[in-house]
Amino acid sequence: MTTMQKLLQLPVNAVNIVKTVQSQVQGQEEDKSPVLTPDGGQQTWYNALQPDELRHLRSGGSGGGFGGGGGGGGGGDQEERAVLEEGGGSFQNQPLRHDDLKEMLDSNKDSLKLEAMKRIVAMVARGKNASDLFPAVVKNVACKNIEVKKLVYVYLVRYAEEQQDLALLSISTFQRGLKDPNQLIRASALRVLSSIRVTIIVPIMMLAIKEAASDMSPYVRKTAAHAIPKLYSLDPEQKDQLIEVIEKLLADKTTLVAGSVVMAFEEVCPERIDLIHKNYRKLCNLLIDVEEWGQVVIINMLTRYARTQFLNPNINESLLEEGGEKTFYGSEEDEDEDDEDKDKKAEVATMAKRKPYVMDPDHRLLLRNTKPLLQSRNAAVVMAVAQLYFHLAPKAEVGVIAKALVRLLRSHSEVQYVVLQNVATMTIKRRGMFEPYLKSFYIRSTDPTQIKVLKLEVLTNLANETNISTILREFQTYIKSMDKDFVAATIQAIGRCATNIGEVRDTCLNGLVQLLSNRDELVVAESVVVIKKLLQMQPEKHSDIIKHMAKLIDNIQVPMARASILWLIGEYCEHVPKISPDVLRKMAKSFTNEEDIVKLQIINLAAKLYLTNSKQTKLLTQYVLNLAKYDQNYDIRDRARFIRQLIVPTEKSGALSKYAKKLFLALKPAPVLESPFKDRDHFQLGSLSHLLNAKAGGYQELPDWPEAAPDPSVRNVEVPEWTKCSSREKRKEKKVEKPFYSDSEGESGPTESADSESDSANGSESVSGSEVSGSGSESEESEEGSESEEEEEEEDEEKDKKKKKKELKKKPVQESESEQSSEEEEEERKHERKSKPRKSDSETESGDEEESESESSQSESDESESEAEVKKKKKAAQSKPPAKPVKTDGKKEKKEMSLLDLDDFEPAPSPQVTPVNSFLSSSLVTDLEGLSLSDSVLSPATIAPSSALKSYELLHRITGEGLSVEYCFSRQPFSPDANMVAVQIQFTNNATSDTKNLHMEDVKLQSGMRVKEFPEIELLPAGETTTAVMGIDFCDSTQAANFQLCTHTRKFFVSIQPPVGELMRPIFLTENEFKKEQGQLMGMNEITERLTLDVKCRNEHTIVQRVTTAANLSRVPCGSDKECSPPVPPPPPDHPVHRFAGRTVTSSSLVLVTVATKEEGAAQLTVNCEKMVIGTMLVKDILQALTQ
Amino acid sequence: MIHSLFLINHTGDIFLEKHWKSVISRGVCDYFLEVKEKAVEPENVPPVLQTPHHYLISIYRDKLFFLSVIQTEVPPLFVIEFLHRVADTFQDYFGECSESIIKDNVVTVYELLEEMLDNGFPLATESNILKEMIKPPTILRSVVNTLTGSSNVGDKLPTGQLSNIPWRRAAVKYTNNEAYFDVIEEIDAILDKSGMTVFAEIQGVIEACTRLSGMPDLTLSFMNPRLLDDVSFHPCVRFKRWESERVLSFIPPDGNFTLMTYHVSSQNLVAIPVYVKQNISFFETGSCGRLDITIGPKQTMGKMVEGLMVTVHMPKAVLSVNLTASQGNYTYDLATKVLVWDIGKLNPQKPPNLRGTLSVQSGAPRPEENPALDIKLKIQQLAISGLKVNRLDMYGEKYKPFKGVKYMTKAGKFQVRT
């Protein structure tokens, strides 16, 4: 294609070129017909291609020639010459050609202008000077042809700085362009205007930017954001005004603007972190929809932000870990260091007690919303998220980035280079993270050298007792490489492994000694240097190696290696008393021919031998010192003089000579072989500064964590006025801008549940100070994932078929639904605003509350008991702050209660108690809830048997020979494993004798199900009753769990079968969220039944109660019913709609239940659930509950 | 961010420069050229260099250096990734990315660069958007343009810029609606001397080509998605759906794109399709050596192994080779010391063999290391990991598209140590 194209393009360009020649020769007559008819044109071209003219063309037109393809390959050198000669201005053809271009630009044919502009741009691209065309080009700035216009812009931006006065001529055009109805023209006018670096127009630019910042079109606003740093670099005086614009644009809701404005923020005012507060949550939520480049900038900025606003999530662990690591390595650890560790630990423990760490929900939000971006195709985004996690995440969660980073190693070698640098730094701090990927760092002989060296670095950092043998075997193959630099690096790496891991020191040393007989001198030299360092650690064991090395001195020529051997012999001369004088003799002989470093070491060797064995070496030493005295190098002369004064006793010698022995033969500390990447992590990872290990211009230091968290309420957002606006148009626009793919309801996603689980793990960790690791909860999480997959796969097939059918039918319904919900959203916001001040109160309170809570489990149990009472009495809870609100609350009560609810941390499920509509509070609740539930597990006894719960018989008194067992579903989260349903078992011993060793055995389960057994009950005295809690993962099915209940004498076969309603846990959803989720679960996933309500069951209270008894769901607060604003006509108050939400325990599928009441007890029950089986069964159960 | 861009060919000529802020003299490239001179291979030039006033970040693609000049702190990967995106865009527009093609299309290149960056910050990098702004050169269009004087530059803001799906053009129309997916897997492996697997993993990529009218919403599901250990997606893929259901749900860009890349965990045993028996040895005396390589099928799942090729980077001391191949041809490049044995199809009955002698420079020491063998191969109609596409559904449009899935397995970085 390309050659064809060239052929076809040639004529025209050629014609123009030829024309320039011809017009010069023949006068001006031709300029009216610039574009010849194709055949005619070609004719002229080929005819005109005479050798002399071609020469003419070349010398003059080389710059523009290749613009159309004419220049081609040959012009390279000539081009360069042309550039040089231009400076002198003596070029004959230059003005001619430029004149000609000017002429073309002046013509009124667009095609001619275009051609001229193309050639000029080609000159610019080559870096040739085209500045004298400026007046002619600028005239065309108002050209109608958009391509000409664009090329003129390109030219203008390039040369305006040099020709400021002329550039001003174009300004009015841009000012006109700024008012153009076409947004592209507005934007590009602003782009060019701001790119012209002419200081006079700063006020105009400022004005234009301000105007564009409130443009209708987000694209123009984006351009305005881009223009801000341009203006700032032109005139830093404008900073304050620009910050105002930035502040305004930061509040922009579109994804298009977000990235650009944060970039402007970073360039203009990175220190104004306070501007971010109000936009923080919005940025987090928008992030996934922002274009990739914007994501990188935003993530990097948020990392810094988070470092200033949140507490260190590893505040307790980091200290512990340090201590732990040390003891782990600890082959040669000093006692006092241990003590220090203990001190530290003690300190930590006290700290932990003093200040339990709770992650700020905003901190969690950031981590959660960046995590999916690890899957980005853009390496820069992945790296940005990785560094964010590395710097901000709790230790247990950092691991997720390893996989993504390893993936990047498959990318271009430049990407590999940068990623490996960062991995090398990470492996020092968090080695365990990359250990599973050890083999991904194995080196191929085809890797570029710098990659090889970096991989080696990583492998060395990853080495530990368990994998060292594999790594060393791998190193062995590297040593044979042809790339000698790489071999040298490998030997260094072996040395480092040997110093770090005591067990393999001898092996490494032996291996290195074998390398001494290598034929490559570089290898030998490097080995000598490394062996020297290793021997220094335990010289007495290795005198034979020293001997061996002494022999090598005859053959090795590399100065560094010779110097190392000499130093070694001198240092340990007492281990090789016979050889050392001989070596000195040899060296004395060759002294004059040695390199300087070797000479210095010879002098050192001589001095040491003189001190230890003066009888044999006195003369030799004198000789060497004499030679050194006349050396060319002053260092050596100085050293010789200095040593002579020290060691040779003369009457003049000072007091120091007495200490000569101590000076020279002092025990030298063994060198520590450290990674060059140690301590690099004080630079933000992924940054240029980190890569260079030096601060680059404009680098923003990553601040240390604050001691105490700044006020989190600064991030609360006031709802801006415009949301109140109810005009149709506005609303529409807003809908367009709504993120398309983002899970704007981040809290309801399946990831969310997992996150909050790990939260809880962390919470418990910090509170109890024990090592309940978050990684445990992670593995559970993954298990959960795989299980749910299995199920889904089965269902997929039929779902797909049916979905298709329903899809079309359901469309319109869905749409209307969403419209409605968006309207309601606005109202929701209003509410939110109203409740705002109260909410922030409750937040601050919650902190204190929870501390006291964790301390006293006693009061907790009291509370839960009282709760049970409350349930029985079915009292509204708002009057009793300590009591847990009951599911049967009326709507109004809920609304008011919300503030107190946050303080409520009882082990019982609490999500449904917080009808605060904002994101923040709900996630805060989940976090805190997690905290509390882990407490409850530590003391299962605190769970009060709730009479409201239905009990089922597991073992009858008669079959059980006096032992009767009942179980009920306590509806508490089962904290050892959040995927399990907690089953509370009550044992009653009705027999006359004691029952001992109550435990369970021989569990028979359907595949996928799991059971966590209750702890063995050692003794159940006659007549006593006790309870225990076990967890069963039913895998979201109603299959029974069969097992044997054993006492010290008997075994009973029993089985537990859950009603479907117990397979879920309540979640908190706002009404809007509920509707949104419901909208996504239409079709096959929706089951609707009509029913007539039981006579006793017509009031709201009873309905709610019956539904929540039948299924472990939480009521969705529907406050809007009461306070609805006009647009949505509220349903008549006597026919309310009740909504309930939950998630299945194992797979976290949403379960949404709606009961819409109608006249005379008629009602409609709707269940939306991804799992159709569950949905169907649930409908049946609820139906029964409501109609009985 | 990115201040200037220089394109430099492999001999060190700067043939294009573009500045997004004030002009930086091309003299800044001298630092780079100096380092480049020193490096033996162009690949060995470090991608990030520091000069007294600037930082130079470069990539090497298709024998060209893309050198960007940076003045302040910026994530290096950001620049590297962007430069690769520039190279990809050239590839996409002109079919290849070489010095001559860039020179031929210098105006288009310049217009592209102008659109891609504003003040050094990426503005539009989606190929679908760029193509609406600046039409790629085609034969027909260049003829028409020269005759009518119409331009290659659009005067409307591409709709993609404003929408939430910037990767797709609006109002796409095709008479034949089709969607093709190529599942391509590469085996990365290191085998040791005895043929044991030191390390093996599978890297897969799904390349898609969709020519569908309107705004189709596609859902691609796999039979066995759990095989996939790690994935990365084109921005069009809805991550949430993948998280919850393990299906790929997306509104595709128009034309060719990479839908996803994945990694099959190395815990799963990777089937190595061929075995390699080799013996390369150099004698202590007589300045010669012997080479004997045999390749045979191992786990090919009944499919034909094609495009088999063995590349050996011989030690510098090897002067010439005298070999006989039972199948295919071999070449030995005396300058680069690279032996290439092009086998073609693998015959399971008669495993191809290459044997003969190597002559070593007399007097030179016996080469320490035996050279590693790099193996290339291709297996059609097979994804070695066993990944299978289950079904592709389309929502949102009424027509029935033509759908196709193709599988292929290739050797990636497949190296045999000797």
Side-chain angles (χ1 to χ4, degrees), chain A residues 126 410 480 689 789, chain B residues 26 73 114 188 226 369:
Chain A
R126 289 232 108 177
R410 274 281 297 181
K480 284 187 270 171
S689 304
E789 270 161 42
Chain B
R26 57 168 64 186
E73 167 67 47
E114 184 73 21
D188 285 359
R226 257 171 304 155
E369 186 198 34

Side-chain angles (χ1 to χ4, degrees), chain A residues 183-184 186-187 190 212-213 215-225:
Chain A
Q183 51 182 344
L184 182 62
R186 283 206 303 280
L190 179 62
D215 197 285
M216 288 264 290
S217 154
Y219 184 66
V220 178
R221 294 203 297 275
K222 184 187 177 76
T223 318

Side-chain angles (χ1 to χ4, degrees), chain A residues 10-27 30 34 36 40-50 53-54 56-57 96 100 104 119:
Chain A
L10 260 176
V12 177
N13 301 316
V15 164
N16 290 324
I17 297 165
V18 168
K19 205 214 67 184
T20 67
V21 179
Q22 283 175 340
S23 62
Q24 182 65 21
V25 177
Q26 297 165 8
E30 275 213 39
L36 304 181
Q42 262 166 11
Q43 209 74 43
T44 335
W45 162 239
Y46 290 118
N47 291 342
L49 196 69
Q50 300 302 324
E53 278 172 349
L54 199 65
H56 204 60
L57 281 173
L96 166 138
D100 197 66
M104 288 164 82
R119 285 211 252 153

